[in-house]
Amino acid sequence: MRAVCWHGANDVRVDTVPDPKILNPRDAIVKVTAAAICGSDLHIYDGYIPTMQPGDIIGHEFMGEVVEIGSEVRKLQRGDRVVVSSIIGCGQCSYCNLQQWSLCDNSNPGGWLQEQVTGYSTAGIFGYSHAFGGYAGAHAEYIRVPFADHGAIKVPQGIPDEKLLFLSDAFPTGYMGAEMCDIQPGDTVAVWGAGAVGLFAMHSAYMLGAERVIAIDRFPERLRMARELVKAEVINYEEVDAGEALKEMTGGRGPDSCIDAVGLEAHGMGVEGFYDKAKQAVRMETDRPNVLRQMMVACRKGGTLSIMGVYSGFVDKMPFGAAFNKALTFKMGQMHGQRYIPMLLEHVLNGGIDPSAVLTHTLPLEEAKRGFEMFKNKQDNCMRVMFKP
């Protein structure tokens, strides 16, 4: 089959690779009908995610058709149309039973690599390095889905792929970011990053009862989408100081909750931005925590920081004294896809949202390199790229 393979920083190629096979009786083979480039894929593309190996198939946001099932798969049949959670969960461990699927004890054979840094292993993720299991990714014609009864969620026929695709990762990630804010009636929620995850977080914040949602970004077209698509107020942090603007917009109090929908490659301004970019380039720190710093200072006293942007290792110069003295609550983590996808699917089917609004470009798999460059550099107002193998 044809698949997008990582060969180094900023080097992806469409190679011919062996077709996936059933390796475990709980596996399914899915023919990929649509896959998207997620913002966290850029961290792999730019070379910031360790334990990648040349030839690894990337991609984790996808849907398709079941074409083969293992002997112990009970909920799926050949021909079923499915959206697959980017997070792989066994469905049997204590964490899966608690609906904390991204903490699964059994789905990550590469967990020993994580343990050296994090102390414990977390769940496997499709196409996201050997520290997350070394699973082949979804930017391919076919993919093996482990624990298929738990990760592959059946969806109706007759609905365009683009309306359902983002249930795989971006929409549940944004929803979990909003849910972790424990939103109360009348709350103001500030969201850093108006990409797809940020927009879904904004929509979800309103779903969960927020009175005001404020989007912070620097790209006018993304701020326009935040304003028009989800009715958020907007701040362009290249034009005004985001922290001061948030104070002014909230009567000096600050937002009740802040959501990071950016992650480890956050764009910084001035000396601070140059400092982080330089240290990251020489691997003296792995992540650029510009958004984290801003949220810790901007959030109101007693507020909540919800972190859904991906971080991979170590950060520097954090104003932790501000977080401590203001009694901030931190919540974060990879999303628990299996917990949220069925509920969000009903929301889409009932007309609560059309997730395809974030899709700006559709390309054949063979144009993967062009898609990554377009997405990385925000060319042609690119928000999300979908591959159709």
Side-chain angles (χ1 to χ4, degrees):
M1 68 173 183
R2 301 289 278 168
V4 181
C5 297
W6 184 88
H7 287 275
N10 298 295
D11 183 5
V12 297
R13 309 171 197 171
V14 182
D15 297 336
T16 299
V17 302
D19 292 344
K21 293 181 171 59
I22 297 287
L23 300 180
N24 182 287
R26 298 172 70 184
D27 290 348
I29 304 299
V30 170
K31 179 181 180 182
V32 178
T33 59
I37 304 176
C38 178
S40 52
D41 285 324
L42 290 183
H43 308 324
I44 288 179
Y45 185 69
D46 289 337
Y48 294 126
I49 301 299
T51 73
M52 289 293 295
Q53 296 178 9
D56 284 347
I57 303 172
I58 58 178
H60 59 268
E61 188 166 45
F62 68 103
M63 62 180 296
E65 177 187 339
V66 176
V67 295
E68 189 176 352
I69 57 174
S71 60
E72 295 183 15
V73 174
R74 299 289 180 259
K75 298 179 182 178
L76 301 172
Q77 297 179 343
R78 292 179 182 87
D80 282 344
R81 191 183 188 207
V82 293
V83 165
V84 182
S85 171
S86 61
I87 300 295
I88 303 169
C90 74
Q92 295 179 332
C93 71
S94 62
Y95 291 103
C96 290
N97 287 332
L98 290 170
Q99 295 290 297
Q100 296 174 337
W101 294 85
S102 68
L103 306 179
C104 176
D105 270 336
N106 298 321
S107 65
N108 185 358
W112 63 274
L113 291 165
Q114 282 192 9
E115 290 171 6
Q116 299 176 52
V117 176
T118 63
Y120 298 90
S121 169
T122 60
I125 301 177
F126 291 103
Y128 215 77
S129 85
H130 292 264
F132 287 95
Y135 291 100
H139 294 164
E141 294 179 297
Y142 296 89
I143 186 170
R144 180 177 74 94
V145 178
F147 308 107
D149 275 340
H150 301 289
I153 289 87
K154 288 192 283 189
V155 296
Q157 303 287 344
I159 300 173
D161 284 350
E162 53 267 29
K163 286 197 173 186
L164 302 174
L165 172 60
F166 299 108
L167 290 167
S168 171
D169 187 88
F171 196 178
T173 298
Y175 183 88
M176 179 169 160
E179 184 185 66
M180 290 194 301
C181 293
D182 189 24
I183 295 169
Q184 302 300 309
D187 274 3
T188 296
V189 179
V191 181
W192 272 256
V197 169
L199 292 171
F200 288 130
M202 296 171 208
H203 174 83
S204 300
Y206 278 129
M207 283 176 60
L208 293 169
E211 181 175 312
R212 299 174 69 191
V213 174
I214 302 171
I216 299 104
D217 207 303
R218 66 190 176 108
F219 293 101
E221 64 275 9
R222 296 190 171 211
L223 293 169
R224 177 185 57 78
M225 287 191 72
R227 185 171 53 248
E228 296 178 0
L229 188 64
V230 295
K231 310 306 179 186
E233 301 168 62
V234 300
I235 295 172
N236 186 328
Y237 68 82
E238 287 190 330
E239 296 177 353
V240 298
D241 180 274
E244 290 302 315
L246 285 168
K247 276 188 177 181
E248 183 176 341
M249 295 168 75
T250 58
R253 187 168 185 263
D256 299 284
S257 299
C258 298
I259 300 176
D260 176 357
V262 181
L264 67 88
E265 291 185 81
H267 174 262
M269 301 285 286
V271 174
E272 181 182 289
F274 177 79
Y275 169 88
D276 281 314
K277 202 159 189 177
K279 289 202 72 173
Q280 189 186 53
V282 296
R283 299 304 189 265
M284 292 180 69
E285 67 174 340
T286 59
D287 306 351
R288 302 199 296 263
N290 299 290
V291 167
L292 294 181
R293 295 189 190 112
Q294 290 180 28
M295 294 200 313
M296 292 164 79
V297 174
C299 193
R300 72 158 170 86
K301 293 179 288 186
T304 299
L305 305 189
S306 172
I307 304 165
M308 296 308 297
V310 168
Y311 289 87
S312 67
F314 301 94
V315 296
D316 197 2
K317 298 289 187 292
M318 299 295 289
F320 211 79
F324 174 80
N325 287 295
K326 289 163 64 180
L328 300 182
T329 296
F330 286 66
K331 296 182 181 179
M332 64 195 81
Q334 301 281 0
M335 64 93 185
H336 308 308
Q338 293 85 334
R339 175 178 175 179
Y340 298 115
I341 292 172
M343 179 269 293
L344 295 176
L345 171 62
E346 289 302 312
H347 186 58
V348 172
L349 297 179
N350 292 335
I353 188 175
D354 179 359
S356 66
V358 304
L359 178 65
T360 54
H361 295 78
T362 300
L363 296 174
L365 196 64
E366 296 293 332
E367 295 187 32
K369 174 67 175 178
R370 176 179 166 228
F372 270 89
E373 284 294 312
M374 183 184 300
F375 186 46
K376 173 182 176 178
N377 297 306
K378 312 296 187 293
Q379 297 168 356
D380 193 27
N381 294 339
C382 181
M383 173 73 72
R384 270 300 172 101
V385 176
M386 178 175 70
F387 294 133
K388 298 288 284 185

